[in-house]
């Protein structure tokens, strides 16, 4: 229970949290989770967040969706199988056409942050092949989910 | 020939360049190469560089090898199958225990940079589970490969 | 509840069952889960089974572990994100040095079997680089887990 | 040259051959190429074959393409980085709606077959979500590429 309390504390700044099992095959020849895997975790977290704000549905309806412009990861601790990773995600800035996000990955086994991520996604019209302004409905959904207003770009 | 000339110009700042085919399965449901794939390219480039400076052999002999502390990617252009990617890599700073590197991925089809990467690796003793100072032999091998001296940390 | 009942029926022949979320990035450019992903599920199921019978621990202790000799998959239905996959696994034959296994992957969304797998693993001494007879302790653990005796090879 | 001669002999029964580098990250915690990777090789070979017979273009034009019904692999030898894999592929049977194929993966380092694959693909109309008879143009293209007639189903 204490470790659950701590995990919630580590993730309380994030309105969306997903949980993913570490698979044995996520490990590479160094015997720990390969460096590309946290980027898969962060992608899954972005998708979950997009579902919550209605951005994921837009893609299926209108071919408008996020496209990744930049991503980074700070690797804090080695992760090994077996484990479960809890990934928190939040929006930290809404630009004219972009969303800046932060992710934090917490290991259940280590009860600690194992990786921190940052990313910038651009709202993209895959049909017209061009950037779009962040739709007002998406901005409002983010502000509601984050529980705070965001500065206009 | 012109496009080859241009590609060489795009990669001439990088002493090590590897070439990798885009596989159809590298593409995700957006129909372009998934965002985790450039991190695989950059990893392969780091391994190739490590082989050139003798750092890869150290791991096999003494369990001393690079561990990734941070990685980032700027996605410049969408990549699709079929294509061949040429990845250049260089060391930009040698710290006490770390190497900072930059990577550039050039698409043969687009004849342009499609992704730029940066990473920080730490020299790590996997047996003793601790950081090590960059060995003098590795520093010399980097300076020889890069053709310039590096400031001491 | 009905669908849970049905899922249990679909998996009741399997003494070990694991559950894995479908990640968005498991999908390829055809918009469904890529054909390599069920093999990752089956691998994770084999590892879980190996943990249950003490074979996974042998590898960490003595570098003795399973090596895959053959694997196959029948793809029954397309799988898409979001979904959760429940993978059942059982041993169907114990050879002198090998274990034949079957896997069945059930989609929570479709409430149906989406992929059937079969595999043959050989007990391998990674240190000595050679096959080993299936240890008697492993045979007994399998018989106990499966609740039936197996013919001697 | 002798090893090239031998490699050509190993692959001469296959009208389409692709070459892929082993990447360091293809290896798992057992220190060899993960069991899912040959399925990625075989997929890339199927795509290359599909391009040669005009089936790949059909998908882009009409959403008609192959869907995988079954796949299997016999793992003959462990593969490690660095290496280059040459994958040969051929059609062995043309059914009413299906193509049966065989793949063979040859390691340049080991100068030997490391994995044998078999697969069944079905011609699928992704728009209408149903199987299609193998188009006559595709049958003719296969017969031309393989240099022999195929029995009617």
């Amino acid at each position: 229970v204490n470790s659950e309390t701590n995990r919630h504390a580590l993730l309380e700044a994030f309105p969306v949290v997903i949980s993913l099992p570490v698979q044995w095959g996520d490990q590479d020849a160094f015997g720990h989770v390969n460096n590309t895997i946290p980027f898969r975790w962060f992608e899954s977290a972005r998708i979950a967040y997009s579902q919550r704000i209605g951005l994921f549905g837009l893609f299926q309806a209108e071919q408008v969706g996020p496209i990744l412009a930049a991503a980074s990861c700070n690797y804090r601790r080695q992760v090994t199988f077996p484990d479960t990773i809890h990934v928190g995600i939040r929006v930290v800035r809404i630009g004219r056409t972009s969303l800046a996000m932060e992710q934090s990955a917490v290991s259940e086994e280590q009860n600690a942050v194992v990786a921190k991520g940052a990313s910038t996604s651009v709202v993209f019209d895959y049909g017209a092949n061009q950037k779009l302004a962040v739709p007002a409905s998406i901005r409002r959904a983010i502000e509601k989910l984050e529980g705070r207003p965001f500065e206009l770009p």
Side-chain angles (χ1 to χ4, degrees), chain A:
Chain A
V1 179
N2 274 357
S3 71
E4 262 196 67
T5 307
N6 184 43
R7 193 164 75 234
H8 289 155
L10 291 173
L11 292 168
E12 72 183 349
F14 300 91
V16 175
V17 177
I18 63 169
S19 300
L20 297 167
V22 172
Q23 292 191 74
W24 180 86
D26 291 339
Q27 299 174 117
D28 63 27
F30 283 139
H32 56 225
V33 163
N34 183 259
N35 74 84
T36 63
I37 301 294
F39 288 102
R40 176 54 45 91
W41 300 337
F42 298 156
E43 173 185 71
S44 294
R46 283 192 303 271
I47 296 287
Y49 197 103
S50 296
Q51 288 177 309
R52 288 287 293 279
I53 60 171
L55 186 54
F56 190 75
L58 271 186
F59 180 68
Q60 290 165 318
E62 309 175 23
Q63 285 201 275
V64 166
I67 196 168
L68 199 61
S72 64
C73 180
N74 283 298
Y75 303 92
R76 297 280 185 88
R77 288 161 171 262
Q78 298 182 52
V79 178
T80 55
F81 171 85
D83 203 345
T84 297
I85 303 298
H86 304 272
V87 188
I89 184 165
R90 65 182 168 201
V91 167
V92 291
R93 199 177 55 254
I94 305 177
R96 204 181 65 77
T97 63
S98 67
L99 303 176
M101 299 173 122
E102 287 178 359
Q103 299 98 7
S104 190
V106 173
S107 152
E108 200 165 301
E109 289 293 321
Q110 301 186 50
N111 198 20
V113 174
V114 291
K116 302 282 279 182
S119 62
T120 303
S121 297
V122 170
V123 179
F124 197 74
D125 184 331
Y126 280 83
N129 208 35
Q130 63 184 21
K131 292 182 189 183
L132 286 186
V134 177
S137 63
I138 297 298
R139 165 179 283 274
R140 280 193 303 270
I142 294 170
E143 292 184 331
K144 189 173 172 193
L145 184 56
E146 300 282 345
R148 68 176 179 94
F150 280 74
E151 273 182 47
L152 288 169

